[in-house]
Amino acid sequence: MKTTDTPSPVDRVEGRPRVTKTPAAQKKAKSSEGGVLNVFSHGVLILWAIMVVLPLLWAVMTSFKDDDSIFSSPWSLPDKLHFENWSRAWSQAHMSDYFGNTLIVVGFSLVGTLVLGSMAAYVLARFEFPGNRFIYFLFVGGMSFPVMLALVPLFYVLNNMQLLNTLPGLILVYIAYSLPFTVFFLTSFFRTLPTSIAEAAFVDGASHTRTFFQIMLPMAKPGLISVGIFNFLGQWNQYMLPTVLNTDPDKKVLSQGLVELATSQGYKGDWSGLFAGLVMAMLPVLAAYIIFQRQVVQGLTAGALK
């Protein structure tokens, strides 16, 4: 009687034994390779987090020290919390005025950018008309245009419009500066939204305006929050545009105030006040990202989940 022998994992090929891995061995090898890759990737992420978080924590810790402790023991904890550093930077260094001007400029420019950008992106994404692609690529081309080349023309345009050294003029420039990226980002996002809901609204008699503001815009909330965070970071930290277009001392924004604080307080040796002002400028950005980080991730991955 012939019996069927189980194939041996060791065969001979050209006189040499060939070892055939079993499925369990293959699975074990893949898991070991994946474990090594996970350890390496987690190690890189931990190292990157340390490089980012440590300077921030050091700046916050230094803002509560006095000037002598900053130089004598820069890495040690403060002996006590010197809140007078913050009050001195807020009042004497006029950080309160710079902070208020920045809130006005960034707040109005952010709202204007999101409203105009979302309207333009919705039309480019949902309607076909002659010149649609040309206008879209015109916005995309605006992302690659160096802002330094536009400083001199912007200066004369605002001067002729009597908007130079004014907050409304700076708001309009910020909106124009942020629109290309906003339209590019939201156009791709609006294309991922289902068309059946908008068609149902048209059947019920809703106009294009009502459909956009009451139906499509709330559905695009993750994308709006994501692009809003990016624009907020860019506008809050903007330095070149206000330096050229806003030289009035009473209307300077926070980035200009930090440079002026670093220059004036540096000569006086008030390093604690300088670090306090620096932390004041960082806190709104960190708070905005921490609060809306989930929406940012949803907005960035929405197109991939279609």
Side-chain angles (χ1 to χ4, degrees), residues 19-231:
V19 179
T20 304
K21 292 184 178 180
T22 61
Q26 294 177 357
K27 184 177 180 180
K28 184 177 181 180
K30 290 181 179 179
S31 63
S32 62
E33 292 177 0
V36 173
L37 183 61
N38 288 334
V39 171
F40 177 76
S41 60
H42 282 76
V44 173
L45 291 176
I46 291 174
L47 180 61
W48 180 259
I50 292 174
M51 294 174 60
V52 172
V53 173
L54 276 183
L56 296 179
L57 294 179
W58 182 78
V60 174
M61 180 185 66
T62 307
S63 66
F64 291 102
K65 290 183 175 182
D66 54 5
D67 294 332
D68 295 335
S69 300
I70 292 176
F71 292 97
S72 60
S73 54
W75 302 108
S76 63
L77 295 175
D79 53 353
K80 66 175 183 177
L81 299 180
H82 294 271
F83 290 102
E84 64 272 11
N85 300 337
W86 289 62
S87 61
R88 188 170 62 254
W90 184 259
S91 58
Q92 297 181 11
H94 305 290
M95 292 297 293
S96 58
D97 298 334
Y98 303 143
F99 204 90
N101 293 336
T102 305
L103 287 178
I104 294 174
V105 172
V106 175
F108 281 97
S109 62
L110 192 60
V111 172
T113 301
L114 292 179
V115 172
L116 297 177
S118 61
M119 294 171 66
Y122 176 74
V123 172
L124 293 175
R126 314 293 289 194
F127 298 95
E128 293 293 337
F129 56 90
N132 181 299
R133 303 303 296 171
F134 174 76
I135 297 176
Y136 173 74
F137 285 114
L138 194 64
F139 279 108
V140 174
M143 297 171 56
S144 61
F145 187 80
V147 67
M148 291 184 295
L149 298 180
L151 290 177
V152 176
L154 281 175
F155 180 88
Y156 285 104
V157 168
L158 292 182
N159 189 31
N160 293 333
M161 297 175 62
Q162 305 296 323
L163 292 175
L164 191 65
N165 298 327
T166 62
L167 297 184
L170 199 59
I171 291 172
L172 293 177
V173 173
Y174 276 17
I175 292 175
Y177 171 78
S178 304
L179 268 181
F181 172 73
T182 303
V183 173
F184 169 75
F185 187 95
L186 292 180
T187 299
S188 302
F189 191 88
F190 275 116
R191 288 172 180 167
T192 64
L193 299 180
T195 59
S196 58
I197 299 178
E199 292 174 353
F202 291 143
V203 171
D204 291 339
S207 62
H208 289 287
T209 303
R210 184 176 181 182
T211 301
F212 171 72
F213 282 104
Q214 294 188 0
I215 298 177
M216 303 305 295
L217 200 60
M219 292 175 60
K221 181 180 177 181
L224 292 173
I225 293 177
S226 298
V227 75
I229 291 294
F230 294 138
N231 287 331

Side-chain angles (χ1 to χ4, degrees), residues 231-242:
N231 287 331
F232 175 76
L233 295 177
Q235 295 174 4
W236 187 271
N237 297 322
Q238 182 61 241
Y239 175 70
M240 185 177 301
L241 289 175

